[in-house]
Amino acid sequence: DPYDHDTTTDGRRSNAACHIYHKFSMSEDLPSEQFVCEYINRPPKAEIFYEDMIKQCIFYGCQILVENNKIGIIKYFERRGYFDYLMDRPESTHTDFSRKQVTKGIPGSGIAVINAQAEAVATYIYDHVGLKPDTGEMGKCYFNNLLDDWSRFDIDNRTKFDATISSSLALLASQKFVATKKESPKFIKFVKKYS
């Protein structure tokens, strides 16, 4: 959930926010289906935030899904040579009209996107936070800011909920399916052919 301008005309200073979500892991030593990093801050210059996001992507070895209506972060990643760390719009948020989108990231508005974000957060909370009725285990979320933001979230007034928007983008990004490339079998020519 980025910002582009160092100062705003109305004096309101919304925070930039980013969450890193670790998908399912078979290893018991690694967190599985949990948020592992939270960034909620407003550095004095937007470029400091952009640089922090590059460092975060490199450290965690992940791509980032950004709101593309604020293009400053996209241009910064491109200028610095980290364009491949930016994700394309997730398939689950596309509409019939958005399939031709070439800009990296996801729009911050639109019914399909808003509903996908709200559904991703609600599903995650139901499945992974609090007491799990089927197993009796307690789900985990280590970030109090995020829990508080989720509890106050208003889908009709989303601008105040930086952590919820950021976490929803991380959850949507985690739904990305990466198809493995099938290599064509390499044939060894035992007999040389002549024309």
Side-chain angles (χ1 to χ4, degrees), residues 1-157:
D1 186 19
Y3 64 94
D4 275 350
H5 304 288
D6 299 335
T7 58
T8 57
T9 55
D10 62 358
R12 187 181 59 82
R13 293 177 52 87
S14 177
N15 284 323
C18 184
H19 285 83
I20 303 292
Y21 178 74
H22 191 268
K23 293 166 72 169
F24 179 76
S25 173
M26 294 290 286
S27 173
E28 292 181 19
D29 298 340
L30 297 173
S32 188
E33 297 177 333
Q34 289 183 34
F35 289 96
V36 295
C37 179
E38 177 180 72
Y39 179 102
I40 300 175
N41 192 15
R42 181 148 185 137
K45 293 183 69 177
E47 286 192 353
I48 296 171
F49 164 64
Y50 303 156
E51 194 65 28
D52 287 346
M53 294 302 96
I54 289 173
K55 292 174 187 175
Q56 193 174 41
C57 288
I58 292 169
F59 182 82
Y60 285 97
C62 64
Q63 287 185 305
I64 187 171
L65 179 62
V66 299
E67 285 185 342
N68 61 15
N69 54 324
K70 298 167 187 150
I71 199 143
I73 192 168
I74 295 169
K75 294 294 184 190
Y76 189 83
F77 269 63
E78 186 174 21
R79 187 171 62 247
R80 292 269 287 114
Y82 294 96
F83 191 70
D84 289 338
Y85 279 96
L86 297 171
M87 283 186 72
D88 292 322
R89 182 175 179 163
E91 188 62 34
S92 62
T93 66
H94 274 294
T95 65
D96 292 337
F97 304 106
S98 68
R99 300 242 179 249
K100 295 179 182 176
Q101 177 181 332
V102 294
T103 305
K104 293 284 190 177
I106 188 169
S109 59
I111 297 299
V113 172
I114 292 169
N115 287 340
Q117 287 178 306
E119 184 179 324
V121 169
T123 300
Y124 178 78
I125 291 170
Y126 184 80
D127 290 343
H128 301 289
V129 179
L131 186 65
K132 297 179 183 178
D134 54 338
T135 64
E137 293 179 25
M138 185 62 76
K140 296 179 180 110
C141 181
Y142 297 108
F143 302 104
N144 290 331
N145 287 332
L146 183 55
L147 291 168
D148 179 54
D149 210 65
W150 283 341
S151 71
R152 296 180 295 107
F153 181 65
D154 178 7
I155 195 168
D156 296 321
N157 186 11

